Amino acid sequence: MDSIKDLTEMQMSAIAEIGNIGAGNAATALSKIVSKAVNLSVPKVQVLPINDAMGIMGDPEALVAGVYLAIEGDIDGDILLIFTAHNSKNLAKIMMGGMDHPEVTDAEDIFSEIEISALKELGNILSSSYLNSLADFTQMTIGPSVPGFCCDMAGAILSVALIEVSAFGDNVLILQTNFDIEGQNVEGFFLLVPKPGSLEKIFTALGVG
Amino acid sequence: MQVNNSINVNMSEIKISKDPNKILVALGLGSCIGVCMYDPVARTAGMAHVVLPEKPASLSVPDKPGKYAGTAVPALLKMMVTAGARKDAIVTKIVGGGKMFDIGKDSSFINIGQRNAENVLAALKEAGLKILAQDVGGNRGRTVRLFVSDGKVSVKTLGEGVKEL
């Protein structure tokens, strides 16, 4: 069975629309925190072979930083927020109000506790915005887990969101949003990967099952 | 221009090579495992990129053997033997099985790397194969390379660079 490949256009647009509203909520929440205009692109909904999805960040050995959250409640899935290590350092600084902190160094592969918690908080805000939008539409109870942080090879981090799905087929549905913060040139990927069984629940709740 | 001698072994794939100029490589392993087999006499190398410890009970359809620990090991061994390797001569090394994220609880999913390593080791033992070395667990991503010419295995992490296993 590889049901993900057989999604109808209507099902794909339903996911995109929920993502769109989630992105709007997330941008509003984030711009309040950083006091800057935040722009989140209209989410791209893609069905990709899992091995292609491993390459969406480019070189699988590239140094990236990621925040992972599990989707909990009536549906299951994975959320990954991924930035280049350089952008992550910038972003943590923006989240911290642009202030210097004695623990923070310039080294791109070393994140201090305070930077990690700033980035985890960012993951929390973005995930909650998306999941609230999804919960509103589906009348389901959905929320993110406690966030985890990791700075390492892109392939190793991306695979976290792809391995469980791989048991159900060779394709994965990915909701991908790029975002940037005014004048800061920060770009990131927000990936939301629902489990196949959960997708069916979402579609049934939306009346496009 | 440098010639690309690498043969990428992607998730769930099994690749064999007898070409001494080639290198089998699995890039950016997280919780996945790169299972390396080598017959130094026949100079035959094989690698499986294992993704999951076992097939979910709910799935009855056939699947790629390289995806699961329990099916990848016998499938890789069979392909090695078909390519001319002798089972008695084959040595194995395994790399990966890390835990990239800690979300403060002990779900079966978050420990998938550990279960991958356990099941791969059990499958190798069951097949009666020698385990020469392993670099598993921890919380780093790894790239594993298996050199067909001499069976050398190298592991790259972003923290420690490249080391021979």
Side-chain angles (χ1 to χ4, degrees):
Chain A
M1 183 196 79
D2 216 342
S3 59
I4 293 182
K5 228 156 82 181
D6 305 322
L7 294 186
T8 64
E9 209 168 296
M10 208 178 198
Q11 288 171 329
M12 296 279 272
S13 347
I15 292 286
E17 182 53 20
I18 290 169
N20 201 6
I21 290 168
N25 294 345
T28 307
L30 194 55
S31 67
K32 273 186 194 151
I33 290 185
V34 301
S35 309
K36 291 182 195 310
V38 176
N39 180 42
L40 277 87
S41 68
V42 173
K44 196 158 100 188
V45 182
Q46 296 184 91
V47 174
L48 290 175
I50 286 173
N51 277 321
D52 290 357
M54 285 287 284
I56 55 171
M57 291 289 294
D59 178 7
E61 289 187 310
L63 180 71
V64 303
V67 177
Y68 169 83
L69 304 98
I71 301 173
E72 297 179 334
D74 292 337
I75 61 162
D76 300 308
D78 302 302
I79 289 176
L80 266 179
L81 188 61
I82 307 182
F83 307 93
T84 65
H86 177 72
N87 278 341
S88 298
K89 295 290 281 195
N90 270 342
L91 203 51
K93 191 167 183 179
I94 296 167
M95 291 289 291
M96 288 153 58
M99 284 187 295
D100 288 326
H101 188 280
E103 282 176 30
V104 177
T105 65
D106 287 337
E108 289 191 350
D109 56 345
I110 299 169
F111 286 79
S112 63
E113 282 305 317
I114 191 161
E115 288 171 293
I116 291 173
S117 57
L119 291 168
K120 281 182 177 175
E121 183 52 25
L122 177 66
N124 246 334
I125 294 164
L126 293 177
S127 309
S128 302
S129 305
Y130 273 85
L131 296 181
N132 284 344
S133 154
L134 186 58
D136 283 348
F137 272 98
T138 56
Q139 298 295 303
M140 289 196 276
T141 307
I142 313 165
S145 72
V146 174
F149 174 84
C150 179
C151 177
D152 211 306
M153 293 180 183
I157 289 182
L158 276 167
S159 72
V160 171
L162 303 175
I163 45 176
E164 253 193 313
V165 185
S166 77
F168 298 91
D170 295 321
N171 293 287
V172 60
L173 181 140
I174 289 180
L175 198 76
Q176 178 186 328
T177 309
N178 294 5
F179 69 95
D180 55 69
I181 296 177
E182 184 194 2
Q184 300 291 328
N185 193 26
V186 173
E187 273 194 339
F189 287 86
F190 179 89
L191 302 183
L192 193 149
V193 185
K195 299 283 151 60
S198 297
L199 260 183
E200 283 149 26
K201 283 190 201 167
I202 294 170
F203 292 139
T204 305
L206 295 173
V208 292
Chain B
M1 201 174 87
Q2 203 183 342
V3 182
N4 187 1
N5 290 326
S6 294
I7 300 174
N8 277 327
V9 185
N10 296 316
M11 283 166 107
S12 307
E13 289 182 345
I14 300 176
K15 298 265 176 76
I16 305 279
S17 178
K18 292 171 77 87
D19 180 344
N21 297 312
K22 295 291 185 187
I23 304 162
L24 295 169
V25 53
L27 293 165
L29 294 168
S31 60
C32 293
I33 307 247
V35 183
C36 307
M37 290 190 187
Y38 190 70
D39 176 341
V41 183
R43 297 210 175 180
T44 303
M47 187 187 287
H49 186 152
V50 173
V51 181
L52 291 163
E54 63 221 342
K55 197 164 167 170
S58 56
L59 288 186
S60 56
V61 287
D63 208 339
K64 288 182 186 160
K67 194 180 283 182
Y68 308 101
T71 50
V73 168
L76 172 56
L77 175 58
K78 196 175 163 194
M79 286 167 76
M80 288 287 289
V81 171
T82 306
R86 259 188 46 232
K87 190 187 157 187
D88 293 348
I90 293 174
V91 291
T92 65
K93 294 183 180 180
I94 72 167
V95 175
K99 178 181 174 181
M100 304 310 295
F101 290 97
D102 191 347
I103 57 168
K105 58 179 181 181
D106 216 26
S107 77
S108 65
F109 159 61
I110 218 79
N111 282 331
I112 217 154
Q114 189 189 335
R115 293 198 295 133
N116 275 341
E118 285 166 4
N119 287 13
V120 165
L121 288 169
L124 289 171
K125 208 174 154 194
E126 198 184 312
L129 291 165
K130 294 183 232 18
I131 300 154
L132 219 57
Q134 51 177 299
D135 180 11
V136 295
N139 58 1
R140 299 309 313 240
R142 298 168 169 99
T143 286
V144 57
R145 288 186 166 80
L146 170 56
F147 294 78
V148 181
S149 56
D150 58 1
K152 191 179 85 175
V153 171
S154 75
V155 181
K156 177 181 173 185
T157 58
L158 292 181
E160 292 163 33
V162 181
K163 60 179 185 186
E164 197 174 326
L165 182 66

